[in-house]
Amino acid sequence: MQTYKSYDVDAVVVGAGHAGCEAALALARLGLKTIIMTVNLDAIALMACNPAIGGTAKGHLVREIDALGGQMGINADAAMLQMKMLNLSKGPAVYSLRAQEDKKLYTQTMKETLENQENLIVLQAEAAKIIVEDGKVCGVETATGAVISAKAVVLATGVYLKSRIIIGEYIKHSGPSGLASADLLTESLIENGLKVLRFKTGTPARVDRRSIDFSKMTIQEGDDPIVPFSFMTDNLDFKQTPCYLAYTNERTHAIIRANLHRSPLYDGTIQGKGPRYCPSFEGKVVTFADKERHQLFVEPEAMHTNEVYMQGMSSSLPEEVQLAFLRTIEGLENCVVMRTGYAIEYDLIDPKQLKPSLEVKFIDSLFAAGQINGSSGYEEAAAQGIIAGINAAMKIKGQDPLVLSRDEAYIGVLIDDLVTKDLEEPYRMMTSRAEYRLLLRQDNADLRLTEYGRRIGLVSDERYARYIAKKEKTESELARYSKTVLSPKGPVADILTSLGQSIPQTGITLEELLRRQGVTYDDVIKLDPQSADNDPQVREQIAVSIKYKGYIDKQIAQAKRQKSMENMKLPEEIDYKDIGGLRLEAAEKLNIVKPLNLGQASRILGVSPSDISVLMVYLEKQKREKSFSRAQ
């Protein structure tokens, strides 16, 4: 029987969640005819769990996506209900933006963006097979038998692969929020040699706003002024929607303990591994048995719905148990649950099967991004999505892939961890995972990554002009601060005296003054009116660059030392079992990961410093043999 091709395109993106959207937009914007397919067009960029973008470390990822020319930051700004800057008491390395989003508007805005993007076809269809010939992907077959021919495929299937919803004793094969699961593709992945794992995540109940007594809760207002995610968003000024803070109590915990025998987490029903850093509420009660209460954030889901999200109360306990423990909380005594919380299990692939470009090692032109790679979170998914889309485009064009290093971006840390380390639970990005946090601040993401986006072709002229203006203004102001000398008398003496600081005997530069503990940029403005003309982004760069210069220089030096390891390339064809002196465990792990360089090899669990020394000797020996051979 003859098979007809429904489409013949450059690339297919399977899945239209946060990873799929970024991948498809990157491909299309780079001039490649692309199809993005999803089981349900109404689920594009769905916020199946928390109606928020950003958070600790996640806000960094959003800023980096934006700097590369991605869409998430722009979309998040357009659908924002409230913005807060987290970790302000800790320091600029860990400042992180977090926005409460109108989840309906977020989906609608992203759907419109996809539908109106040149070179992009949006298609409702379920992928059933990846078509591979001679070790190269060449298309996708849908559940209805349609064949889409393509030069590259990006898998961004989220939590839909053979997914099942679990609420107490109730189990149903379903995707999130009652959407259809994707039950066919897993077998095709296995047939093509991919190792498949099983993970679990979950979501809390949604409560009717009208049944909540907010007067018994603590209001959580947004920041003023609002700092947007996107470097392209001008000042935001709108009435923000408040969130609320409530607490569980001993009665809440007693209901949990009395019903643990009905919890799918503890009766063996759930087999998949869940996220340790985002546990279910019953998991919190068991793990932190000594805590008298836990925080609960009550967050709006959208402007035009009464659904309210119970952040911190994820649960898969039976429906009546969830209602009972929620009603023990002050303000929720009469709450009405509109959607019951649930756990969801799903298939994914072992990400160690991927190159740092997110291409499958043994299937040419097949890429994967998002939760299919074992990550959790919208931001982690989108970050992988833009890289997978860029690199699928580079592959089609015959160009080198974009691989960001750990000292260049949180995206680099995220992907390196996924493809190098053993994955025991859904991966969540945290600032503690990054060695060079002071270099990878959210405020300088554009200075770190815009040049990459420009070179690739995703950064527009307007965006690039803004970046150049910020960069040049910051540099010129830093130079001026180092040369402008103020008298130590008068206003300077007043400021330093008020801070309990010594007054210099000679003149003091603006740079030296701002470096003093307690002196702020606003203090400098009082002494140097020209500083008042700088926009907020430039002000932030000046303050951080000067106050943390010593620490920044130290991390730059550390990164340069590590670079020497990253520059020592390891040939892909090495069989590490043939290298004498390597421990058997190390050889096995190295053969699985096939690291690109010595730096990546050093981060593999089970590879010791002594193993790295053996590899260094091996590389030096290979280098000498090649030099001798050329001399002959």
Side-chain angles (χ1 to χ4, degrees), residues 208-217 244 330-335:
D208 191 323
R209 175 192 300 275
R210 297 168 299 175
S211 67
I212 301 173
D213 185 351
F214 291 106
S215 68
K216 294 182 178 181
M217 300 177 178
Y244 292 85
E330 285 195 38
L332 298 176
E333 295 91 342
N334 300 303
C335 73

Side-chain angles (χ1 to χ4, degrees), residues 45-57:
L46 176 69
M47 291 182 169
C49 196
N50 200 335
I53 295 291
T56 301

Side-chain angles (χ1 to χ4, degrees), residues 473-484 511 546:
K473 184 63 174 178
T474 300
E475 290 173 351
S476 66
E477 280 292 86
L478 286 172
R480 186 176 72 83
Y481 269 50
S482 69
K483 297 173 183 175
T484 302
E511 179 182 342
I546 289 175

Side-chain angles (χ1 to χ4, degrees), residues 63-75:
R63 279 282 181 90
E64 291 179 353
I65 293 164
D66 186 71
L68 288 170
Q71 190 66 28
M72 177 172 263
I74 294 171
N75 212 59

Side-chain angles (χ1 to χ4, degrees), residues 495-511:
I495 289 173
L496 294 179
T497 299
S498 70
L499 295 170
Q501 297 219 8
S502 62
I503 300 171
Q505 299 301 307
T506 58
I508 184 172
T509 65
L510 285 173
E511 179 182 342

Side-chain angles (χ1 to χ4, degrees), residues 31-78:
L32 298 168
K33 192 71 173 178
T34 303
I35 284 179
I36 182 169
M37 56 190 296
T38 174
V39 293
N40 192 326
L41 292 184
D42 296 327
I44 288 173
L46 176 69
M47 291 182 169
C49 196
N50 200 335
I53 295 291
T56 301
K58 293 169 177 281
H60 292 68
L61 290 173
V62 180
R63 279 282 181 90
E64 291 179 353
I65 293 164
D66 186 71
L68 288 170
Q71 190 66 28
M72 177 172 263
I74 294 171
N75 212 59
D77 289 343

Side-chain angles (χ1 to χ4, degrees), residues 343-370:
I344 182 168
E345 285 188 325
Y346 57 96
D347 287 345
L348 63 144
I349 64 171
D350 186 340
K352 293 199 299 296
Q353 299 167 105
L354 304 175
K355 301 175 184 178
S357 64
L358 296 180
E359 184 181 19
V360 175
K361 291 175 180 176
F362 47 87
I363 303 178
D364 195 63
S365 300
L366 177 64
F367 295 79

Side-chain angles (χ1 to χ4, degrees), residues 425-547:
E425 62 181 344
Y427 180 99
R428 180 179 180 177
M429 193 71 249
M430 296 178 290
T431 53
S432 60
R433 297 190 190 273
E435 302 92 325
Y436 310 108
R437 290 189 290 277
L438 204 48
L439 303 183
L440 306 183
R441 306 183 311 276
Q442 62 169 14
D443 61 83
N444 70 354
D446 56 338
L447 301 177
R448 292 184 278 116
L449 300 178
T450 302
E451 291 288 358
Y452 283 117
R454 180 67 171 180
R455 189 175 70 234
I456 289 163
L458 287 179
V459 169
S460 66
D461 291 344
E462 181 187 359
R463 177 182 286 274
Y464 194 65
R466 287 198 184 196
Y467 153 75
I468 289 295
K470 173 182 173 179
K471 182 172 181 287
E472 291 180 348
K473 184 63 174 178
T474 300
E475 290 173 351
S476 66
E477 280 292 86
L478 286 172
R480 186 176 72 83
Y481 269 50
S482 69
K483 297 173 183 175
T484 302
V485 180
L486 303 174
S487 168
K489 301 176 182 179
V492 170
D494 292 341
I495 289 173
L496 294 179
T497 299
S498 70
L499 295 170
Q501 297 219 8
S502 62
I503 300 171
Q505 299 301 307
T506 58
I508 184 172
T509 65
L510 285 173
E511 179 182 342
E512 291 169 337
L513 178 64
L514 186 53
R515 191 173 294 141
R516 290 282 193 106
Q517 187 175 0
V519 177
T520 66
Y521 192 92
D522 287 339
D523 292 326
V524 172
I525 289 176
K526 297 172 186 175
L527 306 169
D528 178 60
Q530 188 173 333
S531 293
D533 297 332
N534 293 324
D535 68 37
Q537 289 190 25
V538 172
R539 294 183 185 191
E540 188 171 25
Q541 291 305 304
I542 293 169
V544 174
S545 298
I546 289 175
K547 281 192 171 295

